[in-house]
Amino acid sequence: MRTSVKMIAPLALDAATARSETRYSAAKLTGLVLIALLPALFWTAVLALVSNAIGLALSSAALIVTAAAIALFLTVVYAALATGAGSE
């Protein structure tokens, strides 16, 4: 009884493909600005105005941390959506 052995080539990563996929195009950067940074700035400004209206002055450090947290969260969501959309 003779068995045949199939040789399977190891998986290779094409470096050119990996580099082009990791680069962001101008459209993706524009999308990131529109989806993550602008809402973060808007909601931080709303928070600052509301806090001043009720008599509670927030420090600039608190506002910067709030804006950064919102922007980071929205960036992660945008990256997940953009990566999922490109794989189809």
Side-chain angles (χ1 to χ4, degrees):
M1 184 181 324
R2 203 173 140 154
T3 60
S4 63
V5 176
K6 292 183 180 180
M7 297 295 290
I8 299 174
L11 295 175
L13 178 65
D14 185 12
T17 303
R19 279 183 298 204
S20 66
E21 288 176 356
T22 56
R23 278 190 250 153
Y24 282 104
S25 65
K28 286 187 179 180
L29 287 177
T30 304
L32 180 62
V33 167
L34 291 175
I35 291 175
L37 298 180
L38 291 180
L41 293 175
F42 171 77
W43 287 112
T44 303
V46 168
L47 176 67
L49 290 174
V50 169
S51 69
N52 283 336
I54 63 172
L56 176 68
L58 293 175
S59 68
S60 57
L63 294 174
I64 290 171
V65 168
T66 302
I70 294 170
L72 179 63
F73 172 74
L74 292 175
T75 301
V76 169
V77 171
Y78 174 74
L81 291 175
T83 303
S87 65
E88 293 176 3

